[in-house]
Amino acid sequence: MIEIKNLTKTYAKSAVKAVDDLTLNVKGGEIYGFLGPNGAGKSTTIKCMTGILPFSEGEIRICGVNLKEAPVEAKSHVGFIPDEHVLYESLTGFQYVEFIADVFNVSSDKRKVLLEKYAAAFEMSDKLQDKISSYSHGMKQKISIISALIHEPEVLILDEPMTGLDPKSSHELKQIMKSYADAGKTVFFSSHVLEVVEKICTTIAIINKGKLVTEFKISQLQDKKADMNLEELFLKLTSDGEGDE
């Protein structure tokens, strides 16, 4: 579902490669945990995957579609929950979700059903007619999640999605991620909360300084870490990681 081949990204004012010859193959049915310290290249990789940033070298395919050659088609398969809220705050929650549904050509009947479903799940039903500017951080995160799910994407990309969510909403999102994977869809999940990653991910990749350090199935974790938990393994493999993304 996500194919990244030899991805390299260098920012104009830096000679350092933010992402350095990265190759990943994320299949349907996986919850893929993408880990790394600050400055490792996680957010840069995700921004390249979602078409937010151009990249210097390499190839990215989403559901078999080349992102550079057919960006609109590739992005039509993706639901993205970013780590920063990029919302039209003058709109109500309902208007914003309607706008996103229009972008993805979601039918009126389908969007109505899905909006009711997810608004109830995240306890936003009575807040949809309020302006986003009045929302708390957690409510903005919830409307970002709902809008990412409104077209039932084949690929769900999440960058620190639990930030600001209450425990019930975090649990609901984890259940949705699992249901996506169970349906054969792809979930690409970046987080610093290693306990959550260890519990729900089927595959884990760790990058540091733009390079892939290791990749393994969660079922192989015991062999990989010996007497270490995921946190200890992560710290061992990225002990020299520095900086900000």
Side-chain angles (χ1 to χ4, degrees):
M1 289 289 192
I2 302 173
E3 298 172 88
I4 300 175
K5 295 181 181 178
N6 309 116
L7 175 65
T8 297
K9 170 64 181 178
T10 304
Y11 289 100
K13 296 183 179 180
S14 173
V16 178
K17 294 177 179 178
V19 181
D20 189 358
D21 196 30
L22 180 67
T23 295
L24 302 174
N25 187 9
V26 186
K27 300 176 181 178
E30 286 192 301
I31 302 180
Y32 193 93
F34 193 53
L35 307 179
N38 291 340
K42 301 187 309 298
S43 291
T44 297
T45 300
I46 289 173
K47 287 176 181 177
C48 289
M49 289 167 54
T50 53
I52 295 171
L53 284 177
F55 46 94
S56 315
E57 302 171 32
E59 181 179 292
I60 297 175
R61 289 181 177 271
I62 306 294
C63 297
V65 181
N66 188 299
L67 181 61
K68 278 189 175 180
E69 294 176 357
V72 175
E73 183 182 356
K75 287 185 278 188
S76 72
H77 297 289
V78 175
F80 178 39
I81 303 169
D83 61 341
E84 298 176 350
H85 302 128
V86 184
L87 304 168
Y88 296 114
E89 299 207 0
S90 62
L91 299 179
T92 66
F94 175 79
Q95 288 171 332
Y96 182 75
V97 176
E98 283 284 295
F99 167 69
I100 298 299
D102 286 341
V103 170
F104 287 99
N105 297 313
V106 182
S107 69
S108 298
D109 290 343
K110 184 176 180 180
R111 72 177 67 180
K112 182 176 184 295
V113 170
L114 291 175
L115 179 54
E116 288 178 355
K117 172 185 174 181
Y118 291 125
F122 290 103
E123 300 181 327
M124 288 290 289
S125 300
D126 61 345
K127 302 295 183 181
L128 291 176
Q129 299 304 329
D130 296 345
K131 284 193 174 184
I132 294 173
S133 59
S134 70
Y135 286 180
S136 66
H137 179 86
M139 290 165 64
K140 289 178 181 178
Q141 185 70 354
K142 291 177 184 181
I143 209 69
S144 294
I145 293 168
I146 294 169
S147 63
L149 298 172
I150 200 65
H151 66 294
E152 296 187 313
E154 289 297 310
V155 175
L156 188 60
I157 299 174
L158 310 96
D159 191 3
E160 299 291 348
M162 311 295 178
T163 303
L165 293 184
D166 55 82
K168 182 179 182 298
S169 295
S170 293
H171 175 76
E172 189 65 40
L173 181 57
K174 285 181 277 188
Q175 294 305 114
I176 290 170
M177 292 165 66
K178 289 177 182 178
S179 70
Y180 259 64
D182 289 344
K185 298 184 178 184
T186 301
V187 179
F188 190 94
F189 174 45
S190 178
S191 176
H192 285 113
V193 186
L194 300 186
E195 295 88 348
V196 174
V197 172
E198 188 168 5
K199 285 180 180 179
I200 71 172
C201 290
T202 55
T203 305
I204 293 173
I206 299 175
I207 67 168
N208 193 28
K209 294 185 177 180
K211 286 184 173 291
L212 182 67
V213 176
T214 188
E215 181 185 45
F216 52 90
K217 297 290 184 184
I218 198 71
S219 58
Q220 301 171 320
L221 186 56
Q222 293 300 324
D223 293 335
K224 283 274 186 180
K225 71 182 182 181
D227 295 326
M228 292 184 289
N229 60 29
L230 179 58
E231 180 180 43
E232 291 167 333
L233 174 64
F234 174 84
L235 292 173
K236 178 181 179 181
L237 294 175
T238 63
S239 59
D240 61 345
E242 298 181 337
D244 297 316
E245 289 189 43

